């Protein structure tokens, strides 16, 4: 894996890229003791099981088993090769890294890189045309007349695609981008006359992924063009269910404030950013998805929803708030004055009023639900009043905080002259029913890896893991274990030991993060990081080491004896010597019973 880059260079890159800093760009981490914990980016979870050890420069998820060092983290999360991860980390640390003849290993990945490269080129082209050419004067005047600031146009890299059937096609063709691949990328369309530009005579809003790479566009028509907005289709590099507009810019502010503000569209985000609300993101013309929730959970615990106040916007905000509440977020919802969307409001009333009267005045989850369920109700009608109260009790029962639930129940009791005790009993009944349902669903959703994690390990397996843990830190111990020959009972443990022996024999230092680079097999990297995450004393006693070796040897010898006896049993059965077969069978049972006692679980 590291053959094309020298070990010295790999070490330098690793030393200049602290794993906590790199992982923090993707995962919200919180220090607990020596390590940092957060929600695993490789599988959905609501309780943090993802750990980063700053002293060892490794990560491990105790849920799904993912593990490795700073290089493998980037490889896994971005789907890139070791060399690509090294180049990216080198650039980040301003280290010059030239790899002769480097080409992305995976053909599909290579094509996706070409798609991203083409999008980046066009983003620069469109932006240049808008700001620096006569062709861009009309769309630039239009943007300025709509209240877009020059700084925002530059920050969000807004551009203009002029009215030509094949300019972009020829522009890309001259730079080696095939029309067929560019059609797959969503930049070209194919007609009977051949390939042509998808976007023509439109103001172009580039869409970026979490790493700030251009992966798609949204083009707004000038004049009476239809459709008003033309968006890139879904492609190998663009899936709108996994993209939050402006997340690459907003992420550090969201993390710092522990709050994200969620809008419905990118125009609202740009306006909010101009109003100094820089932790703003938006979904790309789709409802909030599970993937969006995972992205947000890595950076914040609080989300403020700021949608339109028409019926569709209110219903969308209600659905979104339910999803966020169930996912464990603190949820607040802005309520815009009727007839205004965030963009219009900011342009008419200004940044300060938006911050103070809309964002700062955002309603709590239940307060917003009261607003939603109250709309259109006639409380002079007893039936409608009861429907409202029952609906709100259902909503209050979703809140985990008992003090918050009682606060809102008291508001309902005071408003409608009801007994607080009666409401408490009814709400508690609903809450208990919901809890039972949630527990049942959760039990049915428990992944296999959690079930495996609950299984206690045999004592000899723990002994093998502990011995490997000490070997990782001690070259002399590893050389001693080498003299034992085939010691380990678990095949992957023996593989790790053999590789570790070879690793030390080649003159490498005893750094587990460096050893992880040495391992080609991802499953072995996972086992090594899991073992290394154990909190074992640094200097084991000689007696402890001898006990581990003796325990492992005893089990090994018994397993070897069982294999020999099973072979003898097969021979006796083949020769139809039933008396001998019965005798051997009893011996196997006796040895296995003895083995079971030795393998008592810890």
């Amino acid at each position: 894996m590291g053959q094309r880059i020298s070990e010295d260079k790999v070490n330098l890159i690793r030393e200049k890229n602290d794993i906590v800093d790199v992982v923090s760009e993707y995962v919200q981490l919180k220090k607990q003791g020596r390590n940092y914990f957060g929600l695993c980016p490789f599988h959905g979870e609501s309780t943090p099981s993802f750990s980063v050890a700053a002293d060892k420069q490794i990560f491990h998820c105790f849920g799904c088993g993912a593990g490795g060092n700073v290089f493998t983290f980037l490889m896994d999360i971005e789907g890139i090769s070791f060399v690509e991860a090294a180049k990216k980390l080198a650039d980040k640390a301003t280290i010059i890294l030239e790899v002769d003849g480097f080409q992305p290993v995976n053909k599909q990945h290579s094509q996706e890189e070409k798609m991203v490269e083409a999008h980046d080129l066009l983003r620069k082209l469109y932006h240049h045309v808008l700001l620096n050419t006569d062709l861009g004067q009309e769309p630039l005047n239009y943007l300025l007349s709509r209240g877009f600031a020059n700084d925002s146009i530059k920050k969000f890299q807004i551009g203009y695609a002029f009215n030509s059937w094949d300019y972009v096609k020829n522009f890309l063709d001259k730079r080696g981008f095939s029309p067929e691949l560019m059609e797959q990328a969503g930049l070209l369309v194919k007609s009977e006359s051949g390939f042509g530009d998808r976007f023509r005579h439109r103001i172009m809003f580039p869409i970026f992924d979490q790493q700030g790479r251009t992966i798609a566009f949204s083009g707004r028509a000038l004049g009476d063009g239809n459709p008003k907005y033309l968006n890139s289709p879904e492609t190998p590099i663009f899936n709108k269910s996994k993209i939050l507009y402006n997340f690459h810019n907003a992420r550090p502010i969201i993390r710092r404030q522990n709050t994200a503000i969620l809008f419905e569209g990118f125009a609202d985000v740009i306006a909010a950013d101009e109003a100094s609300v820089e932790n703003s993101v938006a979904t790309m013309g789709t409802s909030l998805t599970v993937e969006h929730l995972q992205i947000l959970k890595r950076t914040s615990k609080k989300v403020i929803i700021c949608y339109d106040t028409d019926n569709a916007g209110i219903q969308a905000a209600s659905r979104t708030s339910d999803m966020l509440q169930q996912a464990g977020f603190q949820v607040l919802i802005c309520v815009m004055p009727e007839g205004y969307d965030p963009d219009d409001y900011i342009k008419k009333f200004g940044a300060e009023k938006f911050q103070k009267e809309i964002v700062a005045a955002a309603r709590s989850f239940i307060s917003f639900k009261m607003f939603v369920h109250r709309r259109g109700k006639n409380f002079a009608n007893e039936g409608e009043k009861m429907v409202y109260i029952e609906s709100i009790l259902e909503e209050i029962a979703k809140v985990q905080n008992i003090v918050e639930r009682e606060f809102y129940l008291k508001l309902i009791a005071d408003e409608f002259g009801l007994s607080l005790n009666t409401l408490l009993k009814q709400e508690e009944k609903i809450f208990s029913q919901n809890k039972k349902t949630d527990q049942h669903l959760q039990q049915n959703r428990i992944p296999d890896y959690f079930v495996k994690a609950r299984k206690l390990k045999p004592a000899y397996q723990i002994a093998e893991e502990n011995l490997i843990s000490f070997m990782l830190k001690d070259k002399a111990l590893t050389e001693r274990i080498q003299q034992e020959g085939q010691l380990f009972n678990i095949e992957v443990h023996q593989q790790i030991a053999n590789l570790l022996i070879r690793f030390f024999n080649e003159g490498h230092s005893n750094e587990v993060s460096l050893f992880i680079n040495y391992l080609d097999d991802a499953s072995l990297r996972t086992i090594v990081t899991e073992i290394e995450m154990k909190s074992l004393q640094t200097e084991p006693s000689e007696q402890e080491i001898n006990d581990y070796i003796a325990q492992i040897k005893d089990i090994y010898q018994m397993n070897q004896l069982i294999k020999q006896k099973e072979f003898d049993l097969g021979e006796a059965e083949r020769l139809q010597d039933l008396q001998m077969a019965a005798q051997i069978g009893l011996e196997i049972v006796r040895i296995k019973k003895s083995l079971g006692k030795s393998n008592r679980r810890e």
Side-chain angles (χ1 to χ4, degrees):
M1 203 185 310
Q3 292 177 351
R4 290 185 285 182
I5 305 174
S6 71
E7 182 180 324
D8 288 344
K9 186 69 79 170
V10 169
N11 276 332
L12 178 61
I13 295 169
R14 185 169 52 86
E15 288 168 4
K16 295 294 184 182
N17 285 277
D18 185 273
I19 192 169
V20 175
D21 293 337
V22 174
V23 173
S24 292
E25 295 180 9
Y26 303 85
V27 181
Q28 185 182 17
L29 296 175
K30 183 177 181 181
K31 192 171 186 181
Q32 295 179 13
R34 289 187 308 166
N35 296 343
Y36 293 80
F37 287 84
L39 297 172
C40 180
F42 303 113
H43 80 281
E45 62 176 7
S46 55
T47 303
S49 60
F50 181 85
S51 177
V52 182
D55 56 338
K56 300 172 183 177
Q57 289 294 295
I58 59 174
F59 73 92
H60 178 71
C61 176
F62 295 96
C64 68
N69 60 11
V70 68
F71 295 101
T72 57
F73 177 81
L74 268 189
M75 290 163 65
D76 292 341
I77 203 163
E78 295 199 12
I80 57 180
S81 70
F82 174 80
V83 176
E84 289 169 305
K87 287 176 71 67
K88 186 163 187 172
L89 289 170
D91 291 343
K92 189 179 182 69
T94 63
I95 296 172
I96 297 173
L97 179 64
E98 295 180 357
V99 185
D100 293 337
F102 167 68
Q103 292 292 334
V105 176
N106 183 281
K107 183 179 178 182
Q108 178 62 30
H109 180 70
S110 175
Q111 290 183 332
E112 291 178 6
E113 284 296 312
K114 293 286 283 183
M115 292 180 182
V116 171
E117 185 182 348
H119 276 83
D120 273 329
L121 275 172
L122 289 187
R123 169 181 56 80
K124 294 172 184 176
L125 173 67
Y126 293 148
H127 188 59
H128 173 79
V129 170
L130 178 72
L131 293 182
N132 301 297
T133 71
D134 292 339
L135 288 170
Q137 196 60 52
E138 178 193 351
L140 180 59
N141 289 339
Y142 172 81
L143 286 169
L144 296 174
S145 70
R146 287 290 310 272
F148 284 82
N150 272 311
D151 287 346
S152 292
I153 291 171
K154 292 174 182 176
K155 178 175 181 177
F156 291 92
Q157 290 287 288
I158 301 170
Y160 171 62
F162 47 85
N163 200 5
S164 170
W165 165 248
D166 59 1
Y167 183 89
V168 164
K169 182 257 182 188
N170 294 331
F171 175 85
L172 293 173
D173 194 43
K174 288 177 183 176
R175 286 157 179 79
F177 297 94
S178 73
E180 291 79 13
L181 185 63
M182 293 301 95
E183 182 191 18
Q184 292 178 40
L187 296 173
L188 301 180
V189 292
K190 191 175 183 181
S191 67
E192 293 180 0
S193 59
F195 292 100
D197 302 354
R198 176 180 292 275
F199 299 102
R200 301 184 298 279
H201 194 42
R202 289 179 178 272
I203 294 173
M204 302 298 288
F205 295 87
I207 298 163
F208 302 88
D209 65 11
Q210 293 183 46
Q211 287 73 53
R213 304 179 307 169
T214 318
I215 56 171
F217 291 99
S218 180
R220 191 197 189 285
L222 281 170
D224 299 325
N226 281 313
K228 183 177 179 181
Y229 281 97
L230 178 64
N231 299 321
S232 293
E234 297 219 340
T235 68
I237 61 171
F238 175 54
N239 182 335
K240 60 187 177 183
S241 296
K242 299 179 181 179
I243 294 295
L244 288 171
Y245 181 77
N246 193 46
F247 185 77
H248 69 296
N249 283 326
R251 177 167 49 200
I253 297 96
I254 292 172
R255 182 176 286 116
R256 188 165 62 247
Q257 298 183 7
N258 197 24
T259 304
I261 302 186
L262 184 64
F263 293 91
E264 286 186 283
F266 56 79
D268 293 334
V269 168
I270 295 171
D273 187 84
E274 289 180 1
S276 299
V277 181
E278 296 178 292
N279 53 334
S280 304
V281 295
T283 52
M284 294 303 306
T286 181
S287 300
L288 197 70
T289 65
V290 173
E291 290 85 358
H292 292 145
L293 289 173
Q294 291 174 354
I295 293 169
L296 290 169
K297 267 204 165 182
R298 295 170 198 162
T299 50
S300 65
K301 293 182 180 178
K302 178 179 173 184
V303 176
I304 300 174
I305 301 168
C306 193
Y307 287 1
D308 297 352
T309 50
D310 56 14
N311 285 331
I314 291 293
Q315 292 306 315
S318 184
R319 289 192 302 270
T320 300
S321 65
D322 284 339
M323 287 186 68
L324 290 165
Q325 175 80 6
Q326 290 164 13
F329 287 93
Q330 179 187 350
V331 187
L332 296 173
I333 303 94
C334 297
V335 178
M336 303 293 304
E338 194 168 343
Y340 288 96
D341 60 28
D343 182 21
D344 294 335
Y345 185 93
I346 292 167
K347 285 180 169 54
K348 182 166 184 178
F349 298 107
E352 186 177 354
K353 197 164 185 177
F354 177 72
Q355 291 174 13
K356 289 183 177 179
E357 298 190 10
I358 302 298
V359 177
R363 302 188 182 200
S364 69
F365 175 76
I366 295 300
S367 177
F368 175 72
K369 289 294 186 176
M370 287 178 170
F371 166 74
V372 172
H373 288 290
R374 189 183 294 269
R375 295 171 81 234
K377 295 279 191 311
N378 177 12
F379 284 169
N381 183 302
E382 292 296 325
E384 291 192 23
K385 187 188 297 183
M386 287 305 301
V387 168
Y388 169 77
I389 293 171
E390 289 172 6
S391 299
I392 291 303
L393 288 177
E394 290 280 354
E395 300 289 2
I396 292 173
K398 296 176 184 177
V399 177
Q400 294 298 313
N401 188 301
I402 190 170
V403 175
E404 188 177 352
R405 296 205 305 271
E406 186 168 334
F407 172 80
Y408 286 109
L409 288 173
K410 191 172 187 307
L411 287 182
I412 297 293
D414 291 345
E415 181 178 1
F416 295 100
L418 298 172
S419 163
L420 178 59
N421 286 336
T422 301
L423 289 177
L424 281 167
K425 288 178 183 177
Q426 180 64 15
E427 182 274 333
E428 185 61 38
K429 181 180 177 182
I430 297 170
F431 181 80
S432 298
Q433 288 173 345
N434 290 347
K435 195 171 183 181
K436 286 179 182 178
T437 302
D438 290 343
Q439 287 173 344
H440 175 70
L441 291 173
Q442 191 64 31
Q443 287 170 357
N444 290 337
R445 280 201 305 264
I446 293 176
D448 290 341
Y449 49 75
F450 284 125
V451 176
K452 290 175 185 173
R454 291 196 186 112
K455 291 181 180 178
L456 297 175
K457 297 175 180 178
Y460 80 90
Q461 182 176 344
I462 293 174
E464 292 190 5
E465 290 178 354
N466 288 351
L467 191 57
I468 289 173
S469 177
F470 292 128
M471 289 169 65
L472 288 165
K473 305 175 184 69
D474 191 335
K475 183 179 180 181
L477 175 60
T478 303
E479 290 172 347
R480 174 182 166 186
I481 297 302
Q482 185 178 14
Q483 305 304 315
E484 301 288 344
Q486 192 80 9
L487 174 65
F488 294 95
N489 296 279
I490 298 173
E491 184 179 351
V492 290
H493 289 172
Q494 189 62 55
Q495 289 178 30
I496 291 169
N498 292 341
L499 288 166
L500 189 57
I501 289 165
R502 193 173 77 187
F503 177 76
F504 284 137
N505 286 342
E506 291 177 7
H508 300 291
S509 61
N510 59 337
E511 291 186 56
V512 67
S513 183
L514 186 59
F515 179 55
I516 285 169
N517 284 345
Y518 193 80
L519 300 173
D520 289 321
D521 190 328
S523 63
L524 294 183
R525 292 199 298 267
T526 294
I527 294 167
V528 168
T529 52
E530 181 178 4
I531 290 173
E532 185 60 14
M533 279 293 190
K534 287 187 172 186
S535 298
L536 298 177
Q537 62 190 67
T538 307
E539 296 289 339
S541 67
E542 184 66 19
Q543 185 60 50
E544 184 178 359
I545 294 295
N546 289 337
D547 287 346
Y548 287 146
I549 293 173
Q551 187 177 24
I552 295 167
K553 273 186 172 181
D554 287 345
I555 299 299
Y556 182 78
Q557 289 170 359
M558 279 193 266
N559 280 327
Q560 291 301 109
L561 184 58
I562 289 171
K563 287 180 181 178
Q564 181 60 49
K565 291 293 182 183
E566 287 175 341
F567 176 81
D568 294 342
L569 177 62
E571 285 294 296
E573 289 174 343
R574 186 176 64 82
L575 296 172
Q576 297 185 344
D577 188 341
L578 300 182
Q579 185 176 355
M580 179 60 71
Q583 183 181 340
I584 295 171
L586 288 172
E587 290 178 9
I588 291 173
V589 170
R590 178 183 58 78
I591 297 169
K592 284 186 174 180
K593 281 184 178 178
S594 178
L595 182 64
K597 291 177 182 178
S598 300
N599 286 355
R600 63 185 180 277
R601 298 180 183 276
E602 296 187 353

